[in-house]
Amino acid sequence: MAASQCPRPEKHRYATRHGAETAAYRAQIGVGQILNPYLCQGCGWWHLSKKAADTVPAGAVADPAVVERLVALDDIAFRALAGDEARGQVAMPERIALRSPRLVARWRRALGLIIQDVDTQLSMRRGEKNTDWGRRILAFKTVLDARRAEAGEVLASTEGAAQAEQARLGVERARARQEALAAKKSAAELRALAGDAAIKRLIDAHGLEFSRYLAEECARLGTPLPARVAKYLDQEGEAA
Ligand SMILES: [Zn+2]
């Protein structure tokens, strides 16, 4: 594509984002003007703009209605959206929605398919790499690669956050289980203690009766009565 097809031919052109960023930084120091690099779809070079950077603000929360609308898109429409987004032709609410947990994996897959398609075109038109078409599509591929890397990072942090949440829930559940177990155990222990105490009180209150029953049961089983019990019954004037 000839430079005349650039919508802003009066602007400086930079071959790389880095070159444009370096120039922007210098300009910023000189005149305090914040400039943001953008990839020109007309000429395939980087220019500087006073408009806001093309990065989506970190921590931006997606509008649920926009997310729903994009979830409902068929694959062809979704892929077209991903391509338009890389060309800078999609509004910020949609751009934020693409980076939301429900869409980021699909966005990344769509970008992968577009990149495959671009690679196919590049291999089919190998001789045209130095043409305007070649320059433009390579510039587009650069943006697509950056977008896919970004999608990968968002996906990793989304999954990381989900895993951290799962881990936190797991720890909470384990603690709750332990507490329930401890409560159950102490209740059983307390019941055993209560049972022991009740038996002791029963024996204290009905010691003679208990000793007689014990003597009867020992006789029935043909086993000698414990000496202590025999002595106790003796003292109480009972025959062993
Ligand atoms: Zn241009």
Side-chain angles (χ1 to χ4, degrees):
M1 185 177 290
S4 63
Q5 283 175 265
C6 172
R8 304 298 303 274
E10 77 284 4
K11 283 196 173 194
H12 270 294
R13 311 192 299 176
Y14 307 92
T16 63
R17 177 191 274 272
H18 180 72
E21 277 170 349
T22 306
Y25 182 66
R26 287 207 194 95
Q28 206 169 315
I29 291 172
V31 296
Q33 173 72 61
I34 295 170
L35 297 170
N36 293 298
Y38 72 95
L39 183 64
C40 179
Q41 293 300 315
C43 66
W45 290 70
W46 292 83
H47 299 310
L48 293 177
S49 168
K50 289 171 192 168
K51 286 187 197 157
D54 70 346
T55 51
V56 171
V61 177
D63 179 343
V66 177
V67 173
E68 287 305 325
R69 186 156 53 73
L70 301 195
V71 164
L73 290 179
D74 64 37
D75 285 345
I76 292 168
F78 191 85
R79 196 175 143 178
L81 178 79
D84 288 345
E85 200 274 342
R87 291 185 193 92
Q89 295 165 351
V90 169
M92 194 52 89
E94 280 79 13
R95 300 188 63 205
I96 294 169
L98 284 176
R99 291 152 173 84
S100 69
R102 281 185 68 195
L103 288 167
V104 64
R106 192 180 178 197
W107 178 43
R108 187 164 177 268
R109 279 197 304 276
L111 288 166
L113 291 171
I114 299 169
I115 290 167
Q116 267 180 26
D117 186 49
V118 165
D119 285 341
T120 305
Q121 288 187 53
L122 279 167
S123 72
M124 277 162 48
R125 299 171 69 172
R126 206 164 314 197
E128 297 174 61
K129 268 188 184 158
N130 292 320
T131 64
D132 290 322
W133 173 85
R135 178 183 286 287
R136 212 169 62 239
I137 199 161
L138 280 172
F140 184 42
K141 187 170 148 61
T142 305
V143 177
L144 289 170
D145 286 339
R147 286 289 195 276
R148 189 162 64 157
E150 184 191 352
E153 278 167 24
V154 174
L155 191 61
S157 75
T158 301
E159 282 170 353
Q163 275 171 10
E165 176 65 8
Q166 280 301 312
R168 192 184 64 74
L169 283 175
V171 167
E172 252 174 32
R173 261 188 244 115
R175 190 184 298 139
R177 263 200 308 274
Q178 270 173 357
E179 278 169 7
L181 215 66
K184 215 163 138 186
K185 194 178 162 199
S186 68
E189 280 169 352
L190 288 174
R191 272 198 302 276
L193 284 173
D196 290 349
I199 289 168
K200 189 173 178 296
R201 283 177 68 190
L202 196 63
I203 294 170
D204 286 349
H206 305 275
L208 190 56
E209 213 178 340
F210 175 79
S211 297
R212 279 189 206 134
Y213 290 150
L214 190 59
E216 278 173 24
E217 294 303 325
C218 282
R220 198 199 303 272
L221 294 170
T223 187
L225 196 61
R228 187 172 50 79
V229 177
K231 195 178 163 197
Y232 172 72
L233 286 174
D234 260 0
Q235 280 168 2
E236 296 297 321
E238 305 258 340

